[in-house]
Amino acid sequence: MMGLIMKRIATLSAAACVFAAPSAAFAQVTADQDGITIGDEETNLNIGGRIHLDGVSVSEDVTPFTDDVDFRRIRVDATLTVAKDFRVKVDADIGGTSTGFRNVWAAYTGIENVTIKGGNFIAPMFGENMMSSNNIKLMERSLGSTLAPNFLMGGAVTYRGENWSASTGYFFDPLEQNPLRPADVGESFAGRLVVAPIRERREVVHLAIGVERRDLDPGAISRSSARPEFGLNGTTLISTGTLVGVNSYTNYNFEAAYMNGPFLVKGNYIMRDNDAPTLGDPKFNGGSVEAAWVITGERQRYGMTNGTFGGIRPRGKLGAVEVAARYSFLDLTDGAVAGGEQENWSLGLNWYITRNFRLMGNYINAKTSPGRNGLNESVDVVMTRFQIAF
């Protein structure tokens, strides 16, 4: 009931704030790389969006897949800023593999170094999920991200120091369930601590830990599965199936990264400890190691508040070119659960034509040993994406 009330409050308050903004502040209108902005520096309304058009060609093994060209995301967003200290954001996917509201939140930053946030947003725990899909180096997030929380309704407080930040919050169910990745019904505590012992403009050492404790509602089911890192098809190679008898679980996440100018290498390890006596209290785990290099020399970008890496800003007339590679794995077999084991090798090429346009190409080899069907298989995938973001 509390989660339902919070959903209604967040949606109604966000809409009210957007439409109740003082009209006098919106006399000035600008359109640039950051979208359409109506208003002045202190009070304004920014309208933006993203379009991700993907193509996927699959060399299948046992599990059937279909080649496809379709929209992965069509998202529109509006962000209202009032007197610099108060922000309201509403965005929604209106097309693509799933539709519905994503970010619907309000935040207050009037206290020095503190952000107070409430609504529907990504729970602060796993850095890769907190990164914008506009900025990830490969077209899909790594296998282990399926164990981490995504969009949830709740509230959080973040404190940012000079070289560290800490976030903690309490969360319910999301405003709208994503059919491709529904959240387990329940309530969560989540927290994230980020430390950057080196944080210079062109060099960063990043360390982070995160934890989420989720208590499931009585009778609720739990389910974990992962697509083979391409997003136009909901078919999975590994999956726990529907798990009954999970009372709660705790997720632990560990991250490390090093950035030097155009180079970036990062890794993470995530583990889920299930409280499910009838299933043998299974433990699931996953992780990844990723590297990227901007051949044209532009630097990688880092944000201290969330401890995440941002997009590349091309300097030359022909844009910026980046290569990326990743190894990731996920193990969903333990106790009485035989969800399968999978590892992926990925290669990527990014052409940042401008800050708003990007072309991406990915190759993925996904192997199970075994998969959810009890069989070993190997799948090769070639993917492309045309991205518009503003």
Side-chain angles (χ1 to χ4, degrees):
M1 177 63 70
M2 180 62 69
L4 179 60
I5 293 173
M6 289 193 67
K7 290 179 184 180
R8 292 175 177 173
I9 291 174
T11 305
L12 293 174
S13 63
C17 288
V18 170
F19 290 108
S23 58
F26 296 121
Q28 180 180 347
V29 179
T30 59
D32 54 24
Q33 295 174 323
D34 296 320
I36 300 172
T37 302
I38 307 170
D40 56 30
E41 184 179 350
E42 291 195 352
T43 299
N44 60 75
L45 175 66
N46 178 264
I47 300 171
R50 70 189 67 176
I51 298 174
H52 297 172
L53 176 62
D54 290 8
V56 178
S57 178
V58 185
S59 176
E60 62 192 37
D61 190 348
V62 178
T63 303
F65 290 92
T66 302
D67 296 348
D68 200 2
V69 176
D70 204 347
F71 290 102
R72 177 67 172 87
R73 296 178 185 86
I74 304 177
R75 184 176 299 180
V76 294
D77 68 74
T79 303
L80 174 68
T81 302
V82 179
K84 289 187 178 181
D85 295 334
F86 185 73
R87 294 179 67 205
V88 176
K89 184 177 181 69
V90 178
D91 66 27
D93 285 337
I94 60 173
T97 54
S98 64
T99 58
F101 285 105
R102 297 295 179 255
N103 288 287
V104 182
W105 51 258
Y108 177 69
T109 58
I111 303 173
E112 186 177 4
N113 298 326
V114 174
T115 299
I116 302 171
K117 192 174 186 179
N120 196 71
F121 55 96
I122 295 176
M125 185 267 188
F126 189 73
E128 190 174 343
N129 281 358
M130 297 172 71
M131 287 182 62
S132 168
S133 59
N134 290 327
N135 298 332
I136 54 179
K137 304 300 183 181
L138 296 149
M139 290 170 57
E140 298 295 333
R141 294 176 172 89
S142 63
L143 294 171
S145 65
T146 193
L147 297 178
N150 204 350
F151 284 101
L152 295 173
M153 280 287 300
V157 177
T158 298
Y159 181 87
R160 172 180 169 173
E162 183 177 353
N163 287 315
W164 66 279
S165 65
S167 301
T168 185
Y170 200 82
F171 298 88
F172 303 90
D173 300 327
L175 181 64
E176 293 186 354
Q177 289 279 15
N178 184 335
L180 294 179
R181 191 185 167 190
D184 297 338
V185 177
E187 300 179 7
S188 291
F189 161 82
R192 176 173 170 84
L193 174 65
V194 178
V195 178
I198 298 176
R199 188 172 72 89
E200 305 293 342
R201 186 172 181 272
R202 295 185 60 84
E203 184 179 21
V204 171
V205 172
H206 160 89
L207 302 170
I209 58 174
V211 63
E212 180 204 23
R213 162 74 182 211
R214 189 157 185 86
D215 294 307
L216 274 60
D217 288 354
I221 62 172
S222 180
R223 180 185 179 93
S224 297
S225 62
R227 292 171 291 168
E229 295 180 2
F230 59 91
L232 290 181
N233 192 305
T235 303
T236 61
L237 295 176
I238 61 174
S239 174
T240 62
T242 298
L243 300 181
V244 179
V246 179
N247 302 314
S248 64
Y249 53 74
T250 305
N251 293 321
Y252 304 94
N253 174 54
F254 306 91
E255 300 172 16
Y258 177 69
M259 181 199 96
N260 192 318
F263 299 96
L264 171 65
V265 59
K266 63 177 183 174
N268 67 72
Y269 175 79
I270 186 169
M271 182 182 73
R272 172 173 295 182
D273 188 356
N274 290 282
D275 175 16
T278 59
L279 300 174
D281 294 330
K283 293 179 173 61
F284 308 141
N285 65 92
S288 69
V289 177
E290 180 179 312
W293 172 41
V294 184
I295 300 174
T296 47
E298 286 84 349
R299 69 180 178 93
Q300 304 286 344
R301 308 181 71 85
Y302 181 73
M304 187 70 250
T305 301
N306 291 327
T308 56
F309 292 88
I312 302 300
R313 296 183 178 180
R315 297 176 304 188
K317 294 182 179 180
L318 298 179
V321 177
E322 179 183 48
V323 292
R326 181 173 67 204
Y327 167 77
S328 66
F329 74 93
L330 180 62
D331 185 351
L332 299 179
T333 296
D334 192 41
V337 180
E341 301 177 32
Q342 182 177 334
E343 61 178 8
N344 285 11
W345 293 91
S346 305
L347 296 173
L349 178 64
N350 298 312
W351 179 21
Y352 301 87
I353 303 171
T354 68
R355 283 180 57 182
N356 302 101
F357 296 91
R358 175 164 66 152
L359 288 178
M360 306 179 71
N362 286 184
Y363 163 78
I364 301 113
N365 173 254
K367 291 183 178 179
T368 63
S369 56
R372 58 181 174 78
N373 54 13
L375 301 174
N376 296 346
E377 60 180 307
S378 179
V379 179
D380 293 295
V381 184
V382 175
M383 308 163 57
T384 58
R385 170 175 294 171
F386 176 61
Q387 171 179 303
I388 303 174
F390 58 94

